[in-house]
């Protein structure tokens, strides 16, 4: 299965409030973009402490937002 990422933004936050604010803004932006395209959903991945990647992706069904945590090898 091929995955298409249509847009991607990395977020780094130093406080919980900053993370919530920035994540909400980017997710809303990508939801608006998905509505214009009529496809894709939003994938939010926590990549580390205070670090996130938000993607507009065909991997996520249209109209949905999925959250995941990146797993790194020890």
């Amino acid at each position: 299965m091929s995955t298409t990422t249509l847009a991607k933004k990395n977020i780094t936050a130093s406080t919980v409030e900053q993370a919530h604010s920035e994540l909400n803004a980017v997710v809303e932006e990508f939801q608006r973009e998905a509505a214009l395209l009529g496809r894709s959903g939003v994938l939010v991945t926590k990549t580390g402490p205070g670090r996130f990647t938000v993607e507009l992706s065909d991997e996520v069904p249209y109209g949905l937002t999925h959250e995941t945590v990146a797993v790194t090898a020890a």
Side-chain angles (χ1 to χ4, degrees), residues 9-23 26 45-54:
K9 288 193 180 183
N10 294 311
I11 295 173
T12 302
S14 56
T15 66
V16 171
E17 293 80 12
Q18 182 184 19
H20 285 165
S21 175
E22 292 187 34
L23 284 167
V26 174
T45 304
K46 183 173 184 174
T47 57
R51 295 186 346 221
F52 304 86
T53 300
V54 182

Side-chain angles (χ1 to χ4, degrees), residues 43-67:
L43 177 63
V44 180
T45 304
K46 183 173 184 174
T47 57
R51 295 186 346 221
F52 304 86
T53 300
V54 182
E55 300 174 71
L56 182 59
S57 175
D58 284 342
E59 184 178 316
V60 179
Y62 174 69
L64 297 179
T65 299
H66 288 181
E67 298 177 9

